[in-house]
Amino acid sequence: MAQVKSQLILAEPCGTTPLAADAMTPAEATDMARVFKALSDPVRLRLLSLIASHGVGEVCVCDLTEKFDVTAPTISFHLKVLREAGLVESQRRATWVYYRVSQPMLANLSCFFATPALSAAR
């Protein structure tokens, strides 16, 4: 019977150890738990989706607020949580703040969930 060897195939280097590759350190678990906690709220998950799917790569907070049945301060709080977790980046322009998804963080999450490709060792 051939021995099965797992190999991780990634398009580019990751800043995060894949879940299936090695056990997490306590510090890595704490960092990832903060990200997952930020994603665990439906409003924040929807905000991230709206920001990521916006055609020009960034969106004004004024365009996000109108899509929810919550107050502007509540949206600002949720955006702050996403920003502190490293999921979004922001830039103030005059009175408005523009948000975009953090591409490095999305890449790290993608790497974290990457599964090893199995190939038979010969």
Side-chain angles (χ1 to χ4, degrees):
M1 182 180 212
Q3 183 181 12
V4 177
K5 176 180 157 185
S6 66
Q7 230 178 33
L8 189 61
I9 301 172
L10 300 171
E12 54 188 279
C14 290
T16 301
T17 302
L19 182 64
D22 202 4
M24 299 173 84
T25 66
E28 289 171 328
T30 299
D31 290 343
M32 290 305 286
R34 186 171 42 93
V35 172
F36 293 135
K37 184 175 181 181
L39 290 172
S40 70
D41 183 276
V43 171
R44 289 192 290 265
L45 192 55
R46 188 159 171 244
L47 278 167
L48 184 65
S49 174
L50 287 167
I51 295 166
S53 65
H54 203 267
V56 294
E58 64 181 7
V59 61
C60 178
V61 68
C62 59
D63 295 326
L64 295 170
T65 307
E66 65 191 27
K67 303 202 185 281
F68 293 88
D69 291 330
V70 296
T71 65
T74 300
I75 294 298
S76 293
F77 167 77
H78 287 300
L79 288 166
K80 176 185 170 192
V81 172
L82 290 172
R83 194 177 59 250
E84 288 176 350
L87 291 161
V88 297
E89 300 166 349
S90 64
Q91 181 181 38
R92 179 171 292 283
R93 296 182 198 150
T95 59
W96 297 111
V97 179
Y98 289 79
Y99 288 88
R100 67 192 157 281
V101 171
S102 169
Q103 294 301 322
M105 178 57 83
L106 286 187
N108 280 343
L109 285 173
S110 179
C111 289
F112 179 74
F113 285 115
T115 56
L118 296 178
S119 61
R122 305 241 182 230

